[in-house]
Amino acid sequence: MKIPFSPPYIDETVINEVVDSLRSGWITSGPKVKALELEIKTFSGANEVLCVNSWTSGAIMMLRWLGVTTEDEVIVPAYTYSATALAVLHAGAKPVMVDSGADFNISVEAIRKAITPRTKAIIPVDIAGFPCDYDRIMALVTEPEIQRSFQATSTIQEKLGRILVMNDAAHSLGAYYSKNQRTGCETDVAIFSLHAVKNVTTAEGGAICLNLPEPFDNEELYNELRMTSLNCQTKDAFSKSKAGGWRYDITGFGMKINMADVNAAIGLAQIREYPKLLQERKRVFNTYSEAFSQCEWAVTPPSVQGERETSYHIYALRIKGFTEEQRDRMIDEIAKSEVAVNVHFIPMPMLSFFKSMGYDIQNYPQAYENFKCEISLPIYPQLDREKLNFIIETVKAAYIVASGYN
């Protein structure tokens, strides 16, 4: 039985929405992008939502808006995908990596130790879709002593008066941070990924959620950033295409990172069905947890802790006591049955580029501990009970082989 890791969910409603975009004669940024922004805004509870062409470009734009420079620091977890730190570098600042907790997410105590007067932002990451402890993080950046030590180097930073918290919510669209409150509105900025493998996709894309405190006006900021995402052009292509609407101006140093309607159409159809799709992902997740909780060697991932609940994006199974070599052997055994699995993530200090910059995995022991024994299992609505049983039995059999590997 051949089981892919993460195929996109494409049904007739998605196809029809995309065809509608194609037949409309308008395929770049236009009404479907705006409709998707409104859907995500309603779903997440964010003040404003701006759709762009990727999580990465959205993060770069927000850090540039914040006004970071080469002397500034942005705290990120060592245990995340490389885009989190690469966005900081592209924006011109220095990523300061810190260790994780046993729940995969960034350690709040490690954040505290890493803060300096040059810290301008913190980018926590909701690994696998499970929200970070944002009550503690937001309380941390507003502590009087930390706020007094903050040294603003731009007008935006002066206006905020403290470290910005920008949630890397690439995995967590649909997660609950607290009862009746989904992720997307719990930090100053949150950015969802709408990449092909995410719970809701636009093939490529991202959604920036704006929740800046007063005196910021989030609606005004949305309009400013929307223009910035279109090269700071005063009219988008949709407006320019109208009779007599050709004249425009360039008002600043922008980026070209807008989302196209033909992409938004995919996400628009999916998010309208997302409550149903989310329940299906939860079904798969809980089936795994029920099966593997009976195995003394398995460490099942967090799903619900207090009021926090995952988006069921990744099932990050850990194998108790396994070395990296044993984990790799287990993955090889699983692959023999044509079940595709993955690893989330190789910690950034283990990657050649970051090693060349001086980052050392020995400084992040929990990140390595999480990585060395982690196997991500397939999780998507199309997995029926027969396929799930096959995956579970395949994993169990692979463990028996790998546990004797030296």
Side-chain angles (χ1 to χ4, degrees), residues 243-265:
W246 63 272
R247 190 179 292 277
Y248 65 90
D249 193 10
I250 299 293
T251 59
F253 183 42
M255 302 170 68
K256 185 63 170 66
I257 62 170
N258 57 300
M259 179 183 285
D261 264 23
V262 70
N263 292 91

PDB file of all heavy atoms in Angstrom, residues 243-265:
ATOM      1  N   ALA A 243     -10.997  51.478 -16.904  1.00  0.00           N
ATOM      2  CA  ALA A 243     -10.889  52.549 -17.905  1.00  0.00           C
ATOM      3  C   ALA A 243     -10.446  53.849 -17.244  1.00  0.00           C
ATOM      4  O   ALA A 243     -11.062  54.310 -16.264  1.00  0.00           O
ATOM      5  CB  ALA A 243     -12.230  52.738 -18.612  1.00  0.00           C
ATOM      6  N   GLY A 244      -9.374  54.426 -17.758  1.00  0.00           N
ATOM      7  CA  GLY A 244      -8.874  55.698 -17.250  1.00  0.00           C
ATOM      8  C   GLY A 244      -8.084  55.603 -15.971  1.00  0.00           C
ATOM      9  O   GLY A 244      -7.695  56.624 -15.404  1.00  0.00           O
ATOM     10  N   GLY A 245      -7.815  54.381 -15.512  1.00  0.00           N
ATOM     11  CA  GLY A 245      -7.156  54.230 -14.211  1.00  0.00           C
ATOM     12  C   GLY A 245      -5.686  53.930 -14.281  1.00  0.00           C
ATOM     13  O   GLY A 245      -5.120  53.361 -13.351  1.00  0.00           O
ATOM     14  N   TRP A 246      -5.041  54.353 -15.353  1.00  0.00           N
ATOM     15  CA  TRP A 246      -3.659  53.948 -15.600  1.00  0.00           C
ATOM     16  C   TRP A 246      -2.623  54.638 -14.733  1.00  0.00           C
ATOM     17  O   TRP A 246      -1.569  54.099 -14.451  1.00  0.00           O
ATOM     18  CB  TRP A 246      -3.299  54.202 -17.068  1.00  0.00           C
ATOM     19  CG  TRP A 246      -3.361  55.667 -17.440  1.00  0.00           C
ATOM     20  CD1 TRP A 246      -4.455  56.356 -17.884  1.00  0.00           C
ATOM     21  CD2 TRP A 246      -2.283  56.605 -17.372  1.00  0.00           C
ATOM     22  NE1 TRP A 246      -4.137  57.677 -18.105  1.00  0.00           N
ATOM     23  CE2 TRP A 246      -2.790  57.855 -17.801  1.00  0.00           C
ATOM     24  CE3 TRP A 246      -0.943  56.519 -17.017  1.00  0.00           C
ATOM     25  CZ2 TRP A 246      -2.012  59.000 -17.867  1.00  0.00           C
ATOM     26  CZ3 TRP A 246      -0.155  57.657 -17.080  1.00  0.00           C
ATOM     27  CH2 TRP A 246      -0.686  58.893 -17.504  1.00  0.00           C
ATOM     28  N   ARG A 247      -2.887  55.859 -14.282  1.00  0.00           N
ATOM     29  CA  ARG A 247      -1.852  56.634 -13.605  1.00  0.00           C
ATOM     30  C   ARG A 247      -1.633  56.142 -12.162  1.00  0.00           C
ATOM     31  O   ARG A 247      -2.600  55.873 -11.437  1.00  0.00           O
ATOM     32  CB  ARG A 247      -2.207  58.119 -13.597  1.00  0.00           C
ATOM     33  CG  ARG A 247      -1.045  59.009 -13.119  1.00  0.00           C
ATOM     34  CD  ARG A 247      -1.432  60.486 -13.159  1.00  0.00           C
ATOM     35  NE  ARG A 247      -1.600  60.965 -14.528  1.00  0.00           N
ATOM     36  CZ  ARG A 247      -0.591  61.366 -15.308  1.00  0.00           C
ATOM     37  NH1 ARG A 247       0.647  61.315 -14.850  1.00  0.00           N
ATOM     38  NH2 ARG A 247      -0.838  61.802 -16.522  1.00  0.00           N
ATOM     39  N   TYR A 248      -0.373  56.049 -11.769  1.00  0.00           N
ATOM     40  CA  TYR A 248      -0.020  55.584 -10.419  1.00  0.00           C
ATOM     41  C   TYR A 248       1.264  56.284  -9.980  1.00  0.00           C
ATOM     42  O   TYR A 248       1.914  56.989 -10.758  1.00  0.00           O
ATOM     43  CB  TYR A 248       0.191  54.066 -10.408  1.00  0.00           C
ATOM     44  CG  TYR A 248       1.376  53.626 -11.242  1.00  0.00           C
ATOM     45  CD1 TYR A 248       2.652  53.522 -10.689  1.00  0.00           C
ATOM     46  CD2 TYR A 248       1.213  53.346 -12.597  1.00  0.00           C
ATOM     47  CE1 TYR A 248       3.744  53.150 -11.462  1.00  0.00           C
ATOM     48  CE2 TYR A 248       2.300  52.978 -13.375  1.00  0.00           C
ATOM     49  CZ  TYR A 248       3.564  52.882 -12.799  1.00  0.00           C
ATOM     50  OH  TYR A 248       4.635  52.523 -13.569  1.00  0.00           O
ATOM     51  N   ASP A 249       1.646  56.057  -8.725  1.00  0.00           N
ATOM     52  CA  ASP A 249       2.894  56.593  -8.202  1.00  0.00           C
ATOM     53  C   ASP A 249       3.592  55.494  -7.397  1.00  0.00           C
ATOM     54  O   ASP A 249       2.945  54.524  -6.969  1.00  0.00           O
ATOM     55  CB  ASP A 249       2.614  57.798  -7.310  1.00  0.00           C
ATOM     56  CG  ASP A 249       3.872  58.613  -6.984  1.00  0.00           C
ATOM     57  OD1 ASP A 249       4.924  58.346  -7.614  1.00  0.00           O
ATOM     58  OD2 ASP A 249       3.790  59.495  -6.112  1.00  0.00           O
ATOM     59  N   ILE A 250       4.895  55.613  -7.194  1.00  0.00           N
ATOM     60  CA  ILE A 250       5.664  54.749  -6.296  1.00  0.00           C
ATOM     61  C   ILE A 250       6.092  55.609  -5.121  1.00  0.00           C
ATOM     62  O   ILE A 250       6.799  56.604  -5.297  1.00  0.00           O
ATOM     63  CB  ILE A 250       6.899  54.137  -7.002  1.00  0.00           C
ATOM     64  CG1 ILE A 250       6.475  53.273  -8.198  1.00  0.00           C
ATOM     65  CG2 ILE A 250       7.738  53.328  -6.006  1.00  0.00           C
ATOM     66  CD1 ILE A 250       5.711  52.020  -7.835  1.00  0.00           C
ATOM     67  N   THR A 251       5.670  55.257  -3.926  1.00  0.00           N
ATOM     68  CA  THR A 251       5.843  56.133  -2.765  1.00  0.00           C
ATOM     69  C   THR A 251       6.929  55.685  -1.804  1.00  0.00           C
ATOM     70  O   THR A 251       7.198  56.364  -0.817  1.00  0.00           O
ATOM     71  CB  THR A 251       4.521  56.237  -1.998  1.00  0.00           C
ATOM     72  OG1 THR A 251       4.131  54.915  -1.577  1.00  0.00           O
ATOM     73  CG2 THR A 251       3.429  56.831  -2.868  1.00  0.00           C
ATOM     74  N   GLY A 252       7.535  54.528  -2.060  1.00  0.00           N
ATOM     75  CA  GLY A 252       8.563  54.051  -1.143  1.00  0.00           C
ATOM     76  C   GLY A 252       9.295  52.856  -1.714  1.00  0.00           C
ATOM     77  O   GLY A 252       9.103  52.470  -2.878  1.00  0.00           O
ATOM     78  N   PHE A 253      10.123  52.234  -0.863  1.00  0.00           N
ATOM     79  CA  PHE A 253      10.935  51.091  -1.259  1.00  0.00           C
ATOM     80  C   PHE A 253      10.180  49.824  -0.866  1.00  0.00           C
ATOM     81  O   PHE A 253      10.307  49.322   0.241  1.00  0.00           O
ATOM     82  CB  PHE A 253      12.301  51.162  -0.578  1.00  0.00           C
ATOM     83  CG  PHE A 253      13.256  50.068  -0.973  1.00  0.00           C
ATOM     84  CD1 PHE A 253      13.364  49.657  -2.292  1.00  0.00           C
ATOM     85  CD2 PHE A 253      14.055  49.457  -0.016  1.00  0.00           C
ATOM     86  CE1 PHE A 253      14.256  48.654  -2.649  1.00  0.00           C
ATOM     87  CE2 PHE A 253      14.949  48.455  -0.364  1.00  0.00           C
ATOM     88  CZ  PHE A 253      15.050  48.057  -1.688  1.00  0.00           C
ATOM     89  N   GLY A 254       9.373  49.318  -1.776  1.00  0.00           N
ATOM     90  CA  GLY A 254       8.518  48.179  -1.462  1.00  0.00           C
ATOM     91  C   GLY A 254       9.080  46.847  -1.913  1.00  0.00           C
ATOM     92  O   GLY A 254      10.243  46.717  -2.276  1.00  0.00           O
ATOM     93  N   MET A 255       8.225  45.846  -1.885  1.00  0.00           N
ATOM     94  CA  MET A 255       8.552  44.489  -2.321  1.00  0.00           C
ATOM     95  C   MET A 255       7.460  44.025  -3.275  1.00  0.00           C
ATOM     96  O   MET A 255       6.366  44.606  -3.294  1.00  0.00           O
ATOM     97  CB  MET A 255       8.631  43.537  -1.121  1.00  0.00           C
ATOM     98  CG  MET A 255       9.638  43.945  -0.061  1.00  0.00           C
ATOM     99  SD  MET A 255       9.494  42.964   1.463  1.00  0.00           S
ATOM    100  CE  MET A 255      10.027  41.345   0.916  1.00  0.00           C
ATOM    101  N   LYS A 256       7.724  42.987  -4.047  1.00  0.00           N
ATOM    102  CA  LYS A 256       6.690  42.424  -4.945  1.00  0.00           C
ATOM    103  C   LYS A 256       6.341  41.038  -4.432  1.00  0.00           C
ATOM    104  O   LYS A 256       6.900  40.019  -4.839  1.00  0.00           O
ATOM    105  CB  LYS A 256       7.220  42.360  -6.378  1.00  0.00           C
ATOM    106  CG  LYS A 256       6.156  41.896  -7.390  1.00  0.00           C
ATOM    107  CD  LYS A 256       4.991  42.869  -7.483  1.00  0.00           C
ATOM    108  CE  LYS A 256       4.061  42.548  -8.655  1.00  0.00           C
ATOM    109  NZ  LYS A 256       3.360  41.273  -8.494  1.00  0.00           N
ATOM    110  N   ILE A 257       5.399  40.992  -3.485  1.00  0.00           N
ATOM    111  CA  ILE A 257       5.117  39.728  -2.790  1.00  0.00           C
ATOM    112  C   ILE A 257       3.603  39.477  -2.663  1.00  0.00           C
ATOM    113  O   ILE A 257       3.178  38.740  -1.784  1.00  0.00           O
ATOM    114  CB  ILE A 257       5.786  39.706  -1.401  1.00  0.00           C
ATOM    115  CG1 ILE A 257       5.246  40.819  -0.493  1.00  0.00           C
ATOM    116  CG2 ILE A 257       7.308  39.812  -1.531  1.00  0.00           C
ATOM    117  CD1 ILE A 257       5.689  40.693   0.944  1.00  0.00           C
ATOM    118  N   ASN A 258       2.820  40.107  -3.537  1.00  0.00           N
ATOM    119  CA  ASN A 258       1.368  39.940  -3.451  1.00  0.00           C
ATOM    120  C   ASN A 258       0.946  38.521  -3.833  1.00  0.00           C
ATOM    121  O   ASN A 258       1.635  37.822  -4.566  1.00  0.00           O
ATOM    122  CB  ASN A 258       0.671  40.944  -4.371  1.00  0.00           C
ATOM    123  CG  ASN A 258       1.129  40.816  -5.813  1.00  0.00           C
ATOM    124  OD1 ASN A 258       2.317  40.977  -6.102  1.00  0.00           O
ATOM    125  ND2 ASN A 258       0.197  40.519  -6.719  1.00  0.00           N
ATOM    126  N   MET A 259      -0.197  38.112  -3.316  1.00  0.00           N
ATOM    127  CA  MET A 259      -0.793  36.834  -3.704  1.00  0.00           C
ATOM    128  C   MET A 259      -1.684  37.036  -4.926  1.00  0.00           C
ATOM    129  O   MET A 259      -2.298  38.095  -5.084  1.00  0.00           O
ATOM    130  CB  MET A 259      -1.634  36.252  -2.549  1.00  0.00           C
ATOM    131  CG  MET A 259      -2.307  34.917  -2.876  1.00  0.00           C
ATOM    132  SD  MET A 259      -3.347  34.285  -1.546  1.00  0.00           S
ATOM    133  CE  MET A 259      -2.096  33.704  -0.400  1.00  0.00           C
ATOM    134  N   ALA A 260      -1.781  36.014  -5.773  1.00  0.00           N
ATOM    135  CA  ALA A 260      -2.632  36.080  -6.959  1.00  0.00           C
ATOM    136  C   ALA A 260      -3.990  35.450  -6.688  1.00  0.00           C
ATOM    137  O   ALA A 260      -4.119  34.538  -5.870  1.00  0.00           O
ATOM    138  CB  ALA A 260      -1.949  35.356  -8.123  1.00  0.00           C
ATOM    139  N   ASP A 261      -5.016  35.933  -7.388  1.00  0.00           N
ATOM    140  CA  ASP A 261      -6.369  35.399  -7.229  1.00  0.00           C
ATOM    141  C   ASP A 261      -6.450  33.907  -7.536  1.00  0.00           C
ATOM    142  O   ASP A 261      -7.197  33.167  -6.890  1.00  0.00           O
ATOM    143  CB  ASP A 261      -7.345  36.154  -8.146  1.00  0.00           C
ATOM    144  CG  ASP A 261      -8.071  37.275  -7.405  1.00  0.00           C
ATOM    145  OD1 ASP A 261      -7.543  37.749  -6.384  1.00  0.00           O
ATOM    146  OD2 ASP A 261      -9.163  37.663  -7.860  1.00  0.00           O
ATOM    147  N   VAL A 262      -5.703  33.456  -8.543  1.00  0.00           N
ATOM    148  CA  VAL A 262      -5.777  32.048  -8.921  1.00  0.00           C
ATOM    149  C   VAL A 262      -5.255  31.168  -7.782  1.00  0.00           C
ATOM    150  O   VAL A 262      -5.723  30.032  -7.599  1.00  0.00           O
ATOM    151  CB  VAL A 262      -5.022  31.788 -10.247  1.00  0.00           C
ATOM    152  CG1 VAL A 262      -3.518  31.910 -10.072  1.00  0.00           C
ATOM    153  CG2 VAL A 262      -5.409  30.448 -10.847  1.00  0.00           C
ATOM    154  N   ASN A 263      -4.297  31.681  -6.993  1.00  0.00           N
ATOM    155  CA  ASN A 263      -3.840  30.967  -5.804  1.00  0.00           C
ATOM    156  C   ASN A 263      -4.845  31.080  -4.669  1.00  0.00           C
ATOM    157  O   ASN A 263      -5.156  30.095  -3.990  1.00  0.00           O
ATOM    158  CB  ASN A 263      -2.491  31.504  -5.344  1.00  0.00           C
ATOM    159  CG  ASN A 263      -1.383  31.200  -6.300  1.00  0.00           C
ATOM    160  OD1 ASN A 263      -1.101  31.994  -7.185  1.00  0.00           O
ATOM    161  ND2 ASN A 263      -0.735  30.062  -6.174  1.00  0.00           N
ATOM    162  N   ALA A 264      -5.342  32.283  -4.469  1.00  0.00           N
ATOM    163  CA  ALA A 264      -6.304  32.513  -3.382  1.00  0.00           C
ATOM    164  C   ALA A 264      -7.545  31.641  -3.539  1.00  0.00           C
ATOM    165  O   ALA A 264      -8.155  31.232  -2.544  1.00  0.00           O
ATOM    166  CB  ALA A 264      -6.696  33.978  -3.338  1.00  0.00           C
ATOM    167  N   ALA A 265      -7.912  31.336  -4.772  1.00  0.00           N
ATOM    168  CA  ALA A 265      -9.106  30.525  -5.033  1.00  0.00           C
ATOM    169  C   ALA A 265      -9.007  29.163  -4.353  1.00  0.00           C
ATOM    170  O   ALA A 265      -9.999  28.638  -3.823  1.00  0.00           O
ATOM    171  CB  ALA A 265      -9.311  30.363  -6.540  1.00  0.00           C
TER     172      ALA A 265
END
